Each structure stands twice: as structure tokens, then as C-alpha cells.
Amino acid sequence: VQLQASGGGLVQPGDSLKLSCAASGGHDFSTYAVAWFRQAPEKERELLGVTWKHGNTYYTDPVKGRFTISRDNAENTVYLHMNSLKPEDTAVYFCAADWEPPYGNAKFKPSSYRRWGQGTQVTVSS
């Protein structure tokens, strides 16, 4: 499967933004675990959240309550809904997926996901 992330842009603090991660390649994307990561300049890539095939989701503390992951299996697309954006949310955002769902500490590791989108820039600034 190939992933295409899109939807980034320049927004003001407090705004909302929705990122998309579209899958192609003929595989059953609904069975994949899909995660969203971000990477700010000079910082490590960090997990934001992950959704597994049964619909369970997990969010990390920096985004819990502000960001939501949803998936449209008919469209082979996973979304990251971002609300109440802050300047510290500025980063390149990546979607990642794997057919072997990572659990426990493995979900935090970028190496647990073998498919990656190209990244989309989100800038939050007034």
C-alpha cells in the first residue's frame, strides 16, 4: 500500500485543520493500523495517535482532547482532525501504517510502521 498525506497549511492559533491520509495499492487498508506522527525542526518524530482495524484509538497527551483520528474504509482514507491548534503544533505531519498492528510501547516507535506518507507541513502562527 502507498500512502499520500495532504491537508496541511498555515493557520492561526485556535483554528482547526483536517489532514488526510489516502491509501492506494489494492490492499485492504481497513485491516491496517494507521498512525499519525509529527516532526518539528531539530526534534524527534513523535506519535500523535493511532487507530487499529477494530476502531480503537490511542492519543498521546500533547494532543488528547484536541486531535481525533477517524477512518473512512470505503475511501481508504484516515483523517486527523485537529482543533484548538497551538504554535507548538507546528511541524511536518506524517501518516504511517502497518499490516501488523503495533501495541504497547511498539506503537510509539516509527520503526513499527512500514508504510509512510510523504509528510505535510502544518504551521500555526498569528
Side-chain angles (χ1 to χ4, degrees):
V1 68
Q2 292 80 45
L3 304 181
Q4 178 79 28
S6 62
L10 172 63
V11 297
Q12 295 187 339
D15 282 354
S16 298
L17 198 62
K18 184 176 77 173
L19 305 183
S20 300
C21 178
S24 61
H27 296 269
D28 188 357
F29 192 53
S30 68
T31 65
Y32 281 59
V34 181
W36 285 95
F37 285 79
R38 70 184 177 191
Q39 188 165 18
E42 300 182 357
K43 292 190 176 181
E44 292 188 354
R45 193 166 297 191
E46 65 169 338
L47 176 71
L48 304 178
V50 57
T51 182
W52 291 275
K53 65 178 181 179
H54 297 299
N56 294 343
T57 54
Y58 170 85
Y59 302 97
T60 57
D61 286 345
V63 304
K64 193 178 299 181
R66 298 191 298 126
F67 292 10
T68 304
I69 297 173
S70 65
R71 64 194 309 166
D72 184 337
N73 290 330
E75 296 293 328
N76 286 336
T77 301
V78 173
Y79 302 98
L80 180 65
H81 306 263
M82 305 186 292
N83 298 317
S84 303
L85 283 162
K86 307 174 183 180
E88 51 263 43
D89 294 318
T90 296
V92 178
Y93 284 66
F94 299 88
C95 59
D98 202 280
W99 54 92
E100 293 184 356
Y103 295 104
N105 289 332
K107 63 180 175 287
F108 297 101
K109 300 177 181 178
S111 60
S112 296
Y113 305 87
R114 284 172 280 195
R115 295 292 183 265
W116 286 82
Q118 82 285 8
T120 183
Q121 176 71 44
V122 173
T123 302
V124 185
S125 175
S126 55

